[in-house]
Amino acid sequence: MAQWIDISQPLSTQIAHWPGDTPFQYQLTASIEEKNSVNIGNIQTSLHIGTHIDAPYHFSKNGKTVDQLPLEPYIGKAVVLNVSRTDIINAAVLSQMNWSSDIKRVLLHTSLPNNPTRFPETLPYLDPDIAPFLQAKGVVLLGVDMPSVDAPDSKDLATHHALNKHGILILENLLLDTVPIGEYELIALPLAIQGADGSPVRAVIRPIEKEEKLHGK
Ligand SMILES: Nc1ccccc1C(=O)C[C@H](N)C(=O)O
Ligand SMILES: [Zn+2]
Ligand SMILES: [Zn+2]
């Protein structure tokens, strides 16, 4: 059986955070070194740190919070697609890909070099028109290897809203630079934080064996 591959960013004090947002911090509030029986860690962080999911409540006042989201989108068969040859990713680009039937989860490897310790200045553009396209394919989860599905300075978050409107949940900041295209099993479960706008996840994939690789690579 193939090994699980970790495609999440390690949560360290070095990890990049959204500009102006709360950085990730870990410290011990009790330590064995200081004669306690145990080490007890404490974290402080934006929930949009490293590899994480957005609950619709992140960008919509009446959107679902993370504890209200279904589990199914975050567990199951996923396809990794490589869209790194363009900085404008739209429905026309996605329609060039080889779509096998029954793909509910799509992970996009973009042209952005994956560097967990640096917040990128610019991101490849994801056109909102991918939302109806992906919905028509039956997709319920879109994962990307960048910190946002909209530009960092976007005010209207058009692609976030379009995806939400079309029933597609969002997974951000994956590490896909060394992942070959193809079909995988995915597990990327958010924590059930009541009322929360998002959650870091441990995203892992495992190749599905004896399956025809997409794009015939
Ligand atoms: N933390 C922020 C602070 C201000 C404005 C946006 C963000 C975001 O997190 C947006 C990004 N699209 C995200 O979902 O992770
Ligand atoms: Zn987010
Ligand atoms: Zn987002």
Side-chain angles (χ1 to χ4, degrees):
M1 187 61 79
Q3 298 280 307
W4 287 98
I5 305 164
D6 192 354
I7 54 168
S8 30
Q9 299 188 357
L11 291 173
S12 79
T13 51
Q14 305 305 308
I15 198 169
H17 56 90
W18 193 269
D21 222 353
T22 310
F24 178 84
Q25 248 193 70
Y26 171 87
Q27 67 223 22
L28 292 175
T29 53
S31 72
I32 295 170
E33 197 159 82
E34 287 167 3
K35 313 280 180 253
N36 290 289
S37 55
V38 288
N39 288 317
I40 302 181
N42 178 78
I43 60 171
Q44 186 178 19
T45 184
S46 162
L47 291 173
H48 299 268
I49 197 81
T51 307
H52 71 276
I53 65 108
D54 288 352
Y57 177 64
H58 175 50
F59 44 86
S60 291
K61 199 168 68 178
N62 299 315
K64 282 192 175 166
T65 56
V66 72
D67 52 308
Q68 296 171 332
L69 297 174
L71 299 176
E72 280 70 22
Y74 304 107
I75 316 169
K77 194 161 136 185
V79 65
V80 174
L81 300 177
N82 189 324
V83 289
S84 66
R85 65 190 164 78
T86 173
D87 284 339
I88 298 174
I89 301 151
N90 53 26
V93 168
L94 293 186
S95 69
Q96 302 300 304
M97 307 273 139
N98 235 328
W99 290 91
S100 62
S101 60
D102 199 26
I103 290 294
K104 293 197 171 65
R105 302 164 197 84
V106 172
L107 310 180
L108 294 180
H109 171 182
T110 73
S111 64
L112 182 75
N114 298 166
N115 180 353
T117 63
R118 193 177 151 273
F119 193 88
E121 267 135 53
T122 59
L123 303 179
Y125 173 71
L126 275 182
D127 195 295
D129 77 353
I130 63 170
F133 176 87
L134 291 172
Q135 184 186 39
K137 296 285 182 200
V139 172
V140 294
L141 180 76
L142 177 67
V144 293
D145 60 353
M146 34 187 204
S148 181
V149 294
D150 281 290
D153 60 354
S154 168
K155 293 285 170 264
D156 61 358
L157 299 174
T159 300
H160 280 83
H161 285 286
L163 290 166
N164 185 40
K165 198 177 126 200
H166 292 87
I168 300 166
L169 291 162
I170 300 167
L171 170 60
E172 295 169 326
N173 268 337
L174 294 167
L175 295 178
L176 296 174
D177 272 358
T178 61
V179 175
I181 58 168
E183 290 183 7
Y184 295 85
E185 286 173 80
L186 166 77
I187 304 176
L189 286 170
L191 301 174
I193 310 173
Q194 277 200 22
D197 53 295
S199 171
V201 299
R202 186 74 179 263
V204 294
I205 56 174
R206 179 165 71 175
I208 296 175
E209 281 157 353
K210 298 194 193 96
E211 284 272 353
E212 210 177 81
K213 287 252 156 107
L214 294 178
H215 311 278
K217 211 200 115 193

